[in-house]
Amino acid sequence: QGFSKEQGKTMFRERTAFFTATMDEACAREYLRNNNVSYVYYGYQERYVGDITKYSFLTPVFTNSEVTIYQVK
């Protein structure tokens, strides 16, 4: 995908920290901004990893029995 092995490891660590909600609010918002993320898909695999509902800047814009999509505010 054009990323070095080290970049891939960093991306994995950051994504894991976000979805496990171990990032503080400011770091989580910066992580999404740096990656140009406007919406977050939160399905069964993401729920299995952790609970991102603690982030106050995420607003649910769509929900059904399988997924919630959050808009980043």
Side-chain angles (χ1 to χ4, degrees), residues 18-65:
F18 174 77
F19 279 106
T20 58
T22 55
M23 284 184 171
D24 64 42
E25 186 114 349
C27 288
R29 186 187 296 258
E30 181 178 347
Y31 164 71
L32 296 177
R33 187 178 326 116
N34 288 345
N35 288 284
N36 299 313
V37 175
S38 299
Y39 294 89
V40 177
Y41 181 96
Y42 191 59
Y44 77 93
Q45 291 177 323
E46 293 78 17
R47 284 192 296 272
Y48 180 78
V49 174
D51 182 12
I52 63 169
T53 61
K54 79 168 200 165
Y55 298 129
S56 65
F57 58 85
L58 296 177
T59 303
V61 292
F62 175 82
T63 301
N64 67 20
S65 62

